[in-house]
């Protein structure tokens, strides 16, 4: 069975590349992925798969096939939204949509799962169990697509779920896994500071919101450095600081915002409280007003032990994989976390570093790219772990 799966995937690699490049040329942003969703649904329809649900939780697509033998129901997930980035790769299949780019590998995730589904459908009479293919919209933008898709029944009857992320900063030929937390909870915050603006030549008649906000930025850095146990992990980063005025005007208001990344709920709660407390204290000292808003995003991605161990054993059997290693926890976020809160499963990284770069461009960079051969490695890994999980 394994050899048959691998051989069929090998023969379909060119199709995988073709799909990925088409999707790369036609990216759509989170919650706007109408044409991409239609493309995915049509692909399944053309295969002859009849159990297809569209519009799941928004723009999600769920397809299901049944094997010829009894077994468990296994779900595989791929996301398909793009990012609001102007592409600068210069690739022949570069994005044709201004201001939108597949800069995180979701085009590769979709191509991987579509072709894998095609092969499993061809083999269905020989397979045990059932296979659910979850094509999720809006992973990049909270509240994300996973939660509404789950609420709309995408996990109904599912015994276990598996997913992978093509990871361009990890060498090709590597699978990186982790039991327990592998990706962080991702929150955001915004603070508006209202001072009292005025003429740049008369600062003594103002409450300079830029100076106050600058002090606040520095004060907030003490939360992680002085409130978090050095053994624990947490990130607080300021992402924007807005106060546009003429050169000779002292700003009346500043709006700043950023992100908080944690693994433990108690750490998340502490940082939120400290953010508000330090903001309040800084503004009290400066005699100005403020507004504080904290938005909880995706929870931490926490893998289950049994499914992760199965993944490790399967990854070692993949010809394209020469290194299976434990991953360090990543402070990036992923709404795959919601699936793992509902069913058993695991999420892992498939190395996709481009061969022509000694230092790859990071995810969410305008020159980001992947090693397309990683899609074949990912398809074989996901396919084999799904087959074995269905038989357990």
């Amino acid at each position: 069975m394994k050899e048959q799966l691998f051989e069929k995937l090998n023969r379909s690699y060119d199709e995988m590349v073709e799909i990925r490049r088409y999707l790369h040329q036609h990216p759509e942003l989170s919650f706007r992925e109408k044409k991409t969703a239609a493309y995915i649904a049509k692909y399944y329809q053309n295969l002859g798969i009849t159990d297809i649900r569209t519009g799941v939780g928004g723009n999600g697509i769920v397809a299901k096939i049944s094997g010829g033998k009894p077994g468990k129901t296994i779900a595989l997930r791929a996301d398909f939204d793009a990012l609001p980035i102007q592409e600068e790769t210069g690739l022949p299949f570069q994005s044709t949509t201004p201001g939108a780019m597949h800069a995180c590998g979701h085009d590769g995730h979709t191509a991987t799962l579509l072709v894998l589904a095609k092969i499993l459908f061809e083999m269905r009479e020989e397979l045990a169990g059932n296979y659910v293919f979850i094509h999720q919209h809006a992973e990049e933008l909270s509240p994300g697509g996973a939660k509404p898709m789950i609420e709309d029944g995408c996990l109904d009857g599912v015994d276990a779920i598996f997913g992978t992320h093509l990871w361009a900063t990890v060498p090709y030929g590597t699978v990186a896994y982790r039991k327990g937390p592998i990706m962080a909870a991702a929150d955001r915050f915004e603070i508006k500071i209202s001072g009292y603006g005025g003429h740049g030549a008369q600062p003594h008649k103002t409450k300079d919101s830029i100076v106050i906000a600058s002090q606040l930025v520095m004060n907030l850095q003490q939360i992680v450095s002085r409130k978090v146990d050095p053994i624990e992990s947490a990130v607080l980063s300021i992402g924007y600081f807005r106060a546009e005025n003429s050169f000779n005007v002292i700003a009346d208001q500043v709006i700043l915002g950023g992100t908080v990344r944690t693994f433990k709920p108690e750490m998340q709660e502490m940082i939120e409280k400290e953010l508000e407390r330090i903001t309040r204290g800084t503004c009290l000292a400066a005699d100005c007003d403020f507004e504080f808003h904290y938005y909880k995003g995706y929870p931490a991605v926490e893998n289950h032990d049994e499914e992760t161990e199965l993944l490790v054993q399967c990854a070692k059997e993949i010809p394209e994989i020469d290194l299976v290693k434990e991953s360090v926890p990543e402070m990036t976020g992923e709404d795959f976390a919601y699936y793992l809160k509902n069913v058993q499963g695991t999420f892992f990284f498939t190395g996709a570093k481009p061969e022509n770069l000694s230092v790859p461009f990071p995810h969410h960079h305008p020159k980001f790219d992947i090693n397309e051969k990683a899609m074949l490695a990912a398809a074989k890994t996901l396919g084999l772990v799904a087959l074995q999980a269905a038989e357990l």
Side-chain angles (χ1 to χ4, degrees):
M1 187 77 71
K2 176 179 69 175
E3 289 73 17
Q4 183 182 359
L5 172 69
F6 290 176
E7 180 55 36
K8 283 180 174 289
L9 285 170
N10 286 339
R11 291 200 299 265
S12 297
Y13 173 66
D14 289 344
E15 180 185 7
M16 207 178 290
V17 171
E18 181 182 352
I19 293 171
R20 183 256 167 166
R21 294 185 179 187
Y22 173 82
L23 294 173
H24 193 89
Q25 282 187 298
H26 303 91
E28 293 181 296
L29 301 180
S30 304
F31 297 106
R32 306 179 195 174
E33 316 94 334
K34 300 296 185 182
K35 292 181 180 179
T36 307
Y39 177 93
I40 293 168
K42 184 177 180 181
Y43 184 90
Y44 281 110
Q45 291 163 358
N46 290 341
L47 291 179
I49 295 176
T50 57
D51 193 345
I52 307 169
R53 290 182 62 207
T54 60
V56 181
N59 295 327
I61 308 293
V62 178
K64 182 178 179 180
I65 64 174
S66 297
K69 305 172 186 177
K72 292 185 177 180
T73 298
I74 306 301
L76 302 173
R77 173 270 206 170
D79 39 18
F80 59 84
D81 56 326
L83 285 155
I85 295 173
Q86 183 62 44
E87 183 165 353
E88 299 176 4
T89 61
L91 293 167
F93 50 91
Q94 180 167 302
S95 170
T96 58
T97 305
M101 176 192 177
H102 274 293
C104 202
H106 296 188
D107 49 346
H109 299 167
T110 303
T112 297
L113 191 57
L114 286 175
V115 173
L116 175 58
K118 169 190 169 182
I119 301 306
L120 293 178
F121 183 61
E122 292 175 358
M123 300 171 60
R124 62 190 182 280
E125 294 302 326
E126 306 167 54
L127 304 182
N130 306 299
Y131 301 85
V132 179
F133 306 100
I134 298 174
H135 291 271
Q136 184 206 307
H137 61 296
E139 184 277 329
E140 295 289 1
L141 183 62
S142 181
K147 192 173 181 180
M149 287 192 72
I150 293 167
E151 292 169 351
D152 202 4
C154 75
L155 290 180
D156 289 356
V158 169
D159 295 301
I161 187 168
F162 298 90
T164 190
H165 204 306
L166 300 175
W167 213 243
T169 54
V170 171
Y172 167 71
T174 302
V175 160
Y177 69 92
R178 187 175 185 83
K179 295 178 180 178
I182 189 171
M183 300 182 81
D187 300 340
R188 67 182 179 92
F189 61 89
E190 184 170 273
I191 302 166
K192 181 169 76 173
I193 293 177
S194 299
Y196 188 79
H199 200 294
Q202 299 176 318
H204 59 293
K205 296 182 179 181
T206 72
K207 297 176 184 178
D208 193 334
S209 60
I210 288 182
V211 171
I212 299 165
S214 299
Q215 291 174 336
L216 177 60
V217 169
M218 298 308 297
N219 291 344
L220 293 179
Q221 301 311 306
Q222 297 179 41
I223 295 177
V224 173
S225 68
R226 290 297 177 268
K227 292 290 184 178
V228 175
D229 186 332
I231 304 301
E232 302 291 344
S233 297
V235 169
L236 190 160
S237 295
I238 304 297
Y240 58 87
F241 188 114
R242 300 170 184 154
E244 295 184 7
N245 283 301
S246 176
F247 76 98
N248 60 349
V249 175
I250 288 177
D252 194 56
Q253 289 186 339
V254 170
I255 297 177
L256 58 90
T259 187
V260 172
R261 305 298 171 105
T262 56
F263 286 105
K264 297 181 178 180
E266 59 268 28
M267 184 73 67
Q268 181 185 44
E269 296 296 330
M270 183 275 289
I271 291 179
E272 179 184 356
K273 290 179 180 178
E274 285 296 305
L275 264 166
E276 197 277 338
R277 185 184 68 81
I278 291 174
T279 299
R280 183 179 299 279
T282 302
C283 291
L284 178 64
D287 190 27
C288 71
D289 297 323
F290 74 95
E291 294 180 19
F292 175 81
H293 302 282
Y294 193 93
Y295 307 93
K296 289 185 178 179
Y298 307 152
V301 179
E302 297 194 44
N303 289 328
H304 298 271
D305 289 357
E306 183 177 346
E307 287 71 23
T308 305
E309 186 59 37
L310 177 63
L311 175 275
V312 170
Q313 298 309 314
C314 289
K316 292 177 180 178
E317 299 183 43
I318 308 303
E320 289 78 8
I321 302 300
D322 51 39
L323 178 62
V324 181
K325 69 171 187 177
E326 185 175 12
S327 173
V328 297
E330 293 282 349
M331 301 310 290
T332 49
E334 242 283 358
D335 67 350
F336 196 88
Y338 291 116
Y339 300 110
L340 295 175
K341 285 186 174 296
N342 283 269
V343 298
Q344 299 287 112
T346 197
F347 190 73
F348 61 97
F349 301 117
T350 300
K353 178 183 174 182
E355 293 178 318
N356 60 333
L357 296 175
S358 56
V359 180
F361 291 102
H363 293 247
H364 296 206
H365 190 281
K367 293 185 178 181
F368 171 87
D369 194 17
I370 60 170
N371 185 331
E372 290 177 322
K373 292 190 296 184
M375 295 188 296
L376 184 59
K380 289 182 179 180
T381 307
L382 285 172
L384 185 59
V385 75
L387 294 182
Q388 294 200 9
E391 294 178 347
L392 293 177

